Amino acid sequence: MRTPIIAANWKMNKTAAEASSFTREFLAQDIPSGVEAVICPPFTALEAVMAQLRPAGRANVFLGAQDMHWEPKGAFTGEISPSMIGAAGCSFVIVAHSERRRLFGETDETANKKAAAALAAGLTPIFCVGETAEERDRGLTARVLEGQVRNGLAGLAAEAVSRMVVAYEPVWAIGSGRAASPADARDAAALIRGVVAGMYGDAASLGLRVQYGGSVDPANIGGFMAEDGVDGALVGGAGLDPVKFARIVALGR
Ligand code: 13P
């Protein structure tokens, strides 16, 4: 059985001090077992979050980064390596978020390098895919998702793919207050699993966890979790509030 996984992507929000108080408050909430929670702060707050998580010793609350470079080290001003975020305590790393694709030139090719480098460094990628409003209107959703999965997850080991997380985040649903429907999320999850099954076999596609992301909140998480094949959520805005995020995690079980 796949364990549900709810991740908070803070994007460019919270100082280290703010991250620290969020984490303290989050850990004081009722977080049940049977679901994994991941907090993905900005790089500058990784240590502050980890400083709270480590002594708390919760087996199901993890640290994640929002991005990384694929090279292990070198002359890449402004970049952070897989081993750096690993040493900061990260177990997860978001790869190819649509904001990275749209605003910072992330391509399927760089996303693929990052997925491979993350896995090689012992990190679990949360690999993001999703169509824009225009692509959806033109009936291209399936083709876009298939391309992003096929190119982004090319050349990996089947066993590693089985441990990955893929986040389906339709771009039009992000930060818009207009979430996709649970049926949309279910269909996308099935499509993603179908492509992965073709590439890596059934074991990989059945092990892989698929999240939905885009305007998830405590009121709509239940609908997504009720769908077959949807294993959790990647949460933006609602993940900035410790009480709301804890509520989503608890309902994500
Ligand atoms: P919102 O939950 O704010 O729509 O953001 C979703 C997202 O982009 C998470 O990565």
Side-chain angles (χ1 to χ4, degrees):
M1 252 335 267
R2 296 184 295 263
T3 305
I5 179 165
I6 309 286
N9 172 14
W10 287 358
K11 310 188 179 184
M12 197 170 73
N13 291 288
K14 295 192 194 293
T15 62
E18 289 163 347
S20 188
S21 42
F22 171 101
T23 310
R24 206 172 311 118
E25 220 182 308
F26 175 71
L27 290 170
Q29 308 301 309
D30 183 21
I31 302 164
S33 59
V35 56
E36 294 181 0
V38 187
I39 301 171
C40 303
F43 294 128
T44 46
L46 288 173
E47 298 276 7
V49 172
M50 201 58 203
Q52 300 287 330
L53 293 186
R54 202 175 284 115
R58 297 284 183 83
N60 62 337
V61 183
F62 300 93
L63 184 67
Q66 297 176 17
D67 189 25
M68 50 158 230
H69 194 59
W70 58 85
E71 291 289 345
K73 61 173 150 179
F76 302 101
T77 301
E79 292 293 328
I80 303 268
S81 75
S83 66
M84 288 172 188
I85 60 173
C90 290
S91 310
F92 291 84
V93 59
I94 298 170
V95 172
H97 191 278
S98 63
E99 286 149 19
R100 300 299 319 172
R101 291 180 189 263
R102 193 163 49 86
L103 304 171
F104 302 104
E106 187 89 70
T107 62
D108 285 346
E109 192 190 356
T110 55
N112 181 236
K113 288 182 182 174
K114 290 180 182 185
L119 291 167
L123 298 159
T124 301
I126 298 176
F127 192 93
C128 301
V129 298
E131 81 286 0
T132 64
E134 195 211 335
E135 287 162 344
R136 187 178 186 83
D137 290 346
R138 290 169 59 204
L140 298 175
T141 300
R143 196 192 300 175
V144 168
L145 296 182
E146 175 167 358
Q148 289 172 338
V149 172
R150 216 171 261 298
N151 298 324
L153 304 190
L156 305 176
E159 192 277 329
V161 173
S162 75
R163 289 183 284 109
M164 280 184 65
V165 178
V166 172
Y168 167 58
E169 295 207 310
V171 177
W172 48 270
I174 294 177
S176 65
R178 193 163 64 93
S181 70
D184 284 337
R186 176 200 62 209
D187 292 349
L191 186 147
I192 291 162
R193 280 214 169 78
V195 177
V196 170
M199 295 170 76
Y200 294 111
D202 286 347
S205 92
L206 293 174
L208 177 89
R209 290 182 286 180
V210 179
Q211 294 176 319
Y212 166 74
S215 300
V216 169
D217 60 27
N220 64 20
I221 182 67
F224 292 107
M225 297 309 299
E227 290 295 345
D228 252 5
V230 178
D231 306 307
L234 183 54
V235 185
L240 293 169
D241 178 308
V243 175
K244 264 193 204 163
F245 184 55
R247 189 90 199 107
I248 295 172
V249 171
L251 291 166
R253 191 160 52 145

